[in-house]
Amino acid sequence: MTVVAIAITTLLLADVLVRFGRDTLDSYYVDHYARKSRAVHARNPAPRVILLGSSRAAYGLAPSEFERATGLKAFNFGIPGSKIPEWQILAERTIASIRPSLVVLGVNASEIRADAEPISAARDLFEFRDLTDYLFHDGWSSTVLANFVERRLASPWALFHRRFEIASWLQERSGALFPKHAQLAVELRHHASRDCPEDGYEHPWLSGRRLADLEMKLSADLRSIAAATVPVCDVHAPVVSRFRALLQWFVDHDIPVVVAYLPNSPWTEERWHEAEPVLEQLILDCCLQAGVAYVGASTHDLPRTNADYLDESHMGLPLARRASRRIAERAIRLGLIRPDERLAFADERPASDVGIGPLADHGEKSEAGTP
């Protein structure tokens, strides 16, 4: 009984300390959803091109390239860790009110893997009806339920809810023993303290962080590369029907959308050589079924090496700009940006700033050929 009483008292005291240290712990917390939602609503006028997706889109879709090509203001709404359920909620709660001229949905095979679970959505976005809808349509998931419940327990159990921020605080103070982890904690704190950029784009190389590319990391130590598991492929998985529903939502709301494949590094493509082509073809099939434009990324159309990547799946800045320029130009050739919108915006800018020339290929519906 004494041991139990001491343990409970210790936990309660630690919980109280966490509550009093809320301001300190907040400096390590980045609420990407709230941060980017505030930034996009603060834009006046609202951005006309929304770039949506996970961290691959957050790094791989450069707003400046879409602005140069289309003549329209762009905003990167890529959210690290997000998947299709998160994009559905963002579309319904934010994009619907903005009604952009174009949505660029950056996808990868990993986002349509059969074992994907909306952990980020359950923790940060789900309301009760969202949770019940997911569990009913996608099947039982104790992980999703646990993350949903955790947010509800944030008030009575602060010690558990803030465990990641507590870990970052401890890591920063253990620099002498673990300098690498301390540096990551410092970077996280600096990132959390900055306002979201006007265009939402926060590529690490823009701020000089982690300048080493994947080729350098592979040459240094293969064991230091955090290799993602090969995605599970199932054409009948609930995530596939959700992807189809998301595309149909854009069609039903008359919001032009182009799905752009954001490729992995050559190192990862080699590891995923069996699963990725099948999943990419599945993404293309969903687009064709919905009548949504698709832009693939073959090595012929978008040459790339491991040196063009931060890690195995996130593009470095030069490749992100090249990929974004290609997607933007393709969207224009497909007629997804109306000429009157481009010209109205172009009249307010220097002629040299407008971007590429006349529209073409209005009648095309998808990228020619397979992915």
Side-chain angles (χ1 to χ4, degrees):
M1 291 294 292
T2 302
V3 171
V4 171
I6 292 174
I8 293 175
T9 302
T10 302
L11 287 174
L12 289 174
L13 288 174
D15 202 71
V16 170
L17 288 174
V18 168
R19 294 176 190 278
F20 277 107
R22 183 179 60 184
D23 292 342
T24 299
L25 295 177
D26 281 346
S27 64
Y28 296 96
Y29 179 62
V30 182
D31 187 343
H32 293 285
Y33 295 103
R35 195 166 181 261
K36 289 206 168 184
S37 293
R38 286 194 301 268
V40 74
H41 284 300
R43 296 282 297 273
N44 189 16
R48 304 313 307 149
V49 178
I50 297 294
L51 314 175
L52 184 63
S54 66
S55 59
R56 289 176 171 84
Y59 291 175
L61 298 178
S64 60
E65 297 302 323
F66 287 91
E67 292 180 357
R68 289 191 184 99
T70 67
L72 302 175
K73 288 295 185 181
F75 184 87
N76 185 303
F77 216 138
I79 304 291
S82 65
K83 294 289 189 293
I84 296 169
E86 287 90 337
W87 306 341
Q88 288 178 308
I89 293 175
L90 291 174
E92 295 169 2
R93 298 179 187 175
T94 302
I95 295 176
S97 62
I98 297 174
R99 296 208 58 82
S101 302
L102 176 67
V103 171
V104 178
L105 181 60
V107 299
N108 179 270
S110 182
E111 271 106 39
I112 202 167
R113 57 190 302 154
D115 55 345
E117 292 185 307
I119 295 174
S120 180
R123 185 175 57 246
D124 297 317
L125 293 176
F126 272 10
E127 301 299 337
F128 185 73
R129 62 181 178 82
D130 300 314
L131 175 68
T132 55
D133 175 74
Y134 178 83
L135 296 178
F136 179 78
H137 290 288
D138 295 47
W140 174 260
S141 171
S142 57
T143 303
V144 171
L145 179 61
N147 278 272
F148 177 81
V149 172
E150 178 188 329
R151 189 179 66 170
R152 267 59 185 175
L153 292 178
S155 178
W157 197 0
L159 180 62
F160 178 74
H161 184 66
R162 305 305 297 269
R163 62 192 183 280
F164 297 113
E165 291 88 344
I166 294 170
S168 296
W169 182 83
L170 292 173
Q171 287 170 351
E172 185 171 351
R173 278 144 189 82
S174 62
L177 297 175
F178 307 103
K180 181 179 179 180
H181 291 85
Q183 178 61 29
L184 292 175
V186 171
E187 291 179 2
L188 178 61
R189 179 167 55 80
H190 289 168
H191 177 53
S193 66
R194 293 194 301 268
D195 292 332
C196 182
E198 188 179 77
D199 63 1
Y201 195 47
E202 298 180 280
H203 196 289
W205 287 1
L206 286 172
S207 57
R209 295 187 295 121
R210 304 184 197 178
L211 291 178
D213 58 52
L214 177 60
E215 187 66 43
M216 296 168 62
K217 294 175 182 177
L218 289 171
S219 301
D221 183 7
L222 184 62
R223 293 170 299 177
S224 66
I225 307 299
T229 58
V230 177
V232 178
C233 178
D234 181 1
V235 296
H236 302 295
V239 68
V240 178
S241 61
R242 281 194 174 270
F243 183 59
R244 290 195 178 100
L246 175 62
L247 298 181
Q248 192 60 48
W249 184 92
F250 285 111
V251 172
D252 293 342
H253 287 75
D254 197 27
I255 297 177
V257 61
V258 57
V259 174
Y261 194 80
L262 302 179
N264 294 310
S265 65
W267 181 63
T268 305
E269 288 179 328
E270 183 178 350
R271 292 197 304 109
W272 291 14
H273 70 279
E274 292 185 359
E276 185 170 14
V278 176
L279 288 167
E280 189 177 355
Q281 182 63 48
L282 180 56
I283 292 170
L284 173 59
D285 292 342
C286 291
C287 292
L288 292 173
Q289 183 180 4
V292 168
Y294 176 83
V295 179
S298 68
T299 53
H300 176 269
D301 295 323
L302 188 66
R304 51 192 180 268
T305 68
N306 289 325
D308 290 312
Y309 286 78
L310 287 80
D311 48 40
E312 66 164 358
S313 56
H314 297 101
M315 295 182 187
L317 193 55
L319 178 60
R321 287 172 171 160
R322 284 195 285 120
S324 299
R325 191 178 311 124
R326 178 174 175 271
I327 296 167
E329 293 173 355
R330 185 66 176 166
I332 292 172
R333 288 198 298 271
L334 291 171
L336 296 174
I337 299 293
R338 296 199 308 268
D340 58 330
E341 284 189 304
R342 295 187 65 223
L343 293 174
F345 193 88
D347 289 343
E348 303 173 4
R349 307 174 65 195
S352 60
D353 243 6
V354 173
I356 67 173
L359 299 176
D361 302 330
H362 290 202
E364 293 186 46
K365 290 296 182 183
S366 64
E367 185 87 346
T370 56

